[in-house]
């Protein structure tokens, strides 16, 4: 396997393209507009500069890796020579089903089609194609160049061969793949999202403030970020949509999203990417400032 295509150049897509290029794969990075792709390339370059500064890769390796990434605004052109396509487009069921129908037509017959979805059913995505045995979940974690895990999700019809290829490939990226079955939230988000939701409920019910809740989890449980900061980092809209998948998929009220989370998303406070969530984010600043909405 040498030629990869990555669909979507947002945070996850550019991270996935970065890692594959770093480990010697030729990457076709695909998005709807050239300006999105230019922004993604600038981000990859910046993150690789960070790795050069830390001695993780050399300047020569960085240049070679960047040279292995080509950008495309036409999906059929981008995927036509690919052995594997990793889809990291918008987390929306209809968009993904439509994309996989098109990918099935455009990608070579033997290509594996993977999705980086954080909660949409791989079985359902696979059923939109004529190659469900070659469809699999490859769930990377943010920031992709740093996080070791790849949650490898087997849909109902995913073959052993496809799973083995993706497990081996993940190890080539020096990641640790973990094989899980396709049920709502898989494992990562089935466990992470109820914790985040419970942190939001603790705030909503006045048990403690934003910093207090995060400090308990950071210093008490050695989490690198508190759950409210992590929710901002993931995106509150993404957290809400995953909780809705869990709530609907299991029909269990324990997954019902906290009304405060729903309100924040409806008000446009979606976390770091919109500049404000539980914290307020100022360009270039590393200080965490609690949003004025939650100051006592
Ligand atoms: N590219 C390359 N390197 C990066 C990077 C990037 N995008 N982001 C951070 N780094 C590197 C830094 O250079 C630094 O390297 P050294 O350790 O060699 O110094 C290291 O990562 C740590 O970065 P920082 O010092 O800037 O900051 P930090 O110590 O606060 O760590 C963090 C940042 C790694 C993000 C850490 O806070 C963390 O682990 N947070 C939790 C992340 C997490 O839980 N991710 C999963 C989210 S859930 C998800 O992705 C899936 C889903 O479905 C919702």
């Amino acid at each position: 396997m040498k030629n990869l295509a990555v669909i979507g150049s947002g945070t996850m897509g550019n991270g996935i393209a970065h890692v594959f290029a770093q480990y010697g794969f030729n990457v076709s990075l695909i998005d709807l507009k050239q300006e999105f792709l230019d922004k993604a390339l600038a981000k990859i370059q910046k993150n690789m500069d960070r790795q050069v500064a830390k001695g993780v890769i050399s300047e020569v390796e960085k240049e070679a890796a960047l040279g292995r990434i080509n950008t495309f605004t036409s999906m059929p052109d981008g995927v036509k020579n690919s052995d594997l396509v990793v889809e990291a487009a918008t987390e929306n069921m209809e968009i993904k089903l439509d994309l996989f129908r098109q990918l099935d037509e455009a990608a070579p017959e033997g290509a594996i089609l993977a999705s980086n979805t954080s909660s949409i059913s791989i079985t359902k995505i696979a059923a939109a194609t004529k190659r469900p045995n070659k469809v699999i979940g490859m769930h990377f974690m943010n920031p992709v160049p740093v996080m070791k895990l790849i949650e490898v999700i087997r849909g109902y019809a995913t073959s052993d061969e496809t799973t083995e290829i993706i497990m081996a490939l993940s190890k080539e990226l020096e990641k640790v793949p973990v094989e899980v079955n396709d049920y709502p939230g898989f494992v990562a988000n089935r466990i992470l999202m109820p914790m985040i939701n419970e942190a939001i409920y603790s705030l909503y019910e006045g048990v403690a403030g934003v910093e207090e809740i995060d400090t308990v989890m950071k210093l008490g449980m050695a989490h690198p970020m508190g759950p409210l900061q992590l929710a901002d980092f993931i995106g509150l809209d993404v957290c809400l949509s995953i909780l809705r998948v869990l709530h609907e998929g299991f029909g269990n009220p324990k997954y019902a999203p906290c009304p405060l989370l729903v309100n924040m998303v409806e008000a446009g406070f979606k976390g770091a990417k919109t500049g404000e969530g539980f914290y307020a984010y100022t360009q270039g600043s590393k200080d965490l400032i609690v949003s004025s909405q939650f100051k006592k």
Side-chain angles (χ1 to χ4, degrees):
M1 208 172 259
K2 204 75 204 115
N3 298 318
L4 267 293
V6 178
I7 314 240
S9 66
T11 309
M12 296 309 287
N14 77 55
I16 295 166
H18 171 147
V19 171
F20 275 113
Q22 184 185 336
Y23 284 86
F25 295 87
N26 301 318
V27 180
S28 303
L29 184 58
I30 305 164
D31 212 324
L32 296 170
K33 289 189 181 162
Q34 192 58 43
E35 60 180 283
F36 300 157
L37 293 162
D38 293 342
K39 236 169 112 182
L41 284 179
K43 188 80 203 284
I44 294 172
Q45 176 146 11
K46 199 169 143 220
N47 285 331
M48 286 190 180
D49 283 338
R50 226 197 254 247
Q51 291 176 306
V52 172
K54 292 270 155 64
V56 178
I57 55 173
S58 69
E59 185 64 35
V60 174
E61 286 167 335
K62 179 192 102 179
E63 290 303 331
L66 288 172
R68 284 190 282 270
I69 305 176
N70 288 301
T71 59
F72 294 85
T73 49
S74 152
M75 190 272 276
D77 288 346
V79 303
K80 68 171 186 250
N81 296 319
S82 303
D83 305 309
L84 166 69
V85 181
V86 182
E87 171 274 323
T90 309
E91 193 69 353
N92 170 294
M93 173 84 81
E94 286 317 312
I95 291 176
K96 290 212 197 278
L97 293 182
D98 195 40
L99 200 50
F100 272 79
R101 267 181 224 117
Q102 293 177 41
L103 275 175
D104 198 26
E105 296 295 319
E109 218 175 294
I112 293 177
L113 307 180
S115 176
N116 177 58
T117 180
S118 48
S119 65
I120 293 174
S121 162
I122 298 299
T123 303
K124 198 160 179 173
I125 292 173
T129 73
K130 294 185 203 78
R131 58 178 104 182
N133 57 327
K134 290 188 178 294
V135 176
I136 195 161
M138 219 179 163
H139 185 204
F140 290 80
M141 303 290 136
N142 185 25
V144 181
V146 180
M147 305 301 280
K148 281 286 173 202
L149 178 71
I150 299 179
E151 195 178 25
V152 175
I153 303 120
R154 285 188 76 130
Y156 190 82
T158 309
S159 69
D160 289 342
E161 191 195 2
T162 299
T163 309
E164 280 156 23
I165 292 171
I166 295 302
M167 294 292 284
L169 178 71
S170 304
K171 289 178 192 157
E172 275 186 61
L173 304 174
E174 291 192 89
K175 301 283 187 201
V176 178
V178 175
E179 186 184 324
V180 310
N181 289 319
D182 182 28
Y183 289 100
F186 319 132
V187 170
N189 282 318
R190 182 172 181 165
I191 297 171
L192 177 64
M193 287 303 154
M195 182 190 72
I196 286 177
N197 201 33
E198 209 53 39
I200 302 172
Y201 264 114
S202 303
L203 178 69
Y204 175 66
E205 291 171 3
V207 181
V210 171
E211 274 178 308
E212 288 74 12
I213 291 167
D214 276 355
T215 302
V216 166
M217 298 305 285
K218 269 196 291 189
L219 302 188
M221 284 74 189
H223 290 189
M225 286 176 165
L228 299 175
Q229 187 191 353
L230 182 56
D232 274 359
F233 175 70
I234 293 168
L236 301 189
D237 52 337
V238 176
C239 294
L240 178 59
S241 93
I242 299 172
L243 279 161
R244 286 189 165 140
V245 168
L246 291 170
H247 193 203
E248 204 184 296
F250 291 114
N252 187 329
K254 76 176 176 182
Y255 299 110
C258 178
L260 172 59
L261 174 64
V262 176
N263 264 356
M264 288 176 76
V265 173
E266 278 173 3
F269 289 68
K270 297 180 188 169
K273 66 184 166 192
T274 58
E276 200 159 348
F278 296 103
Y279 298 89
Y281 300 84
T282 41
Q283 198 80 42
S285 164
K286 277 203 134 191
D287 296 334
L288 268 186
I289 299 163
V290 175
S291 159
S292 55
Q293 305 278 334
F294 299 109
K295 287 216 173 110
K296 287 186 204 119

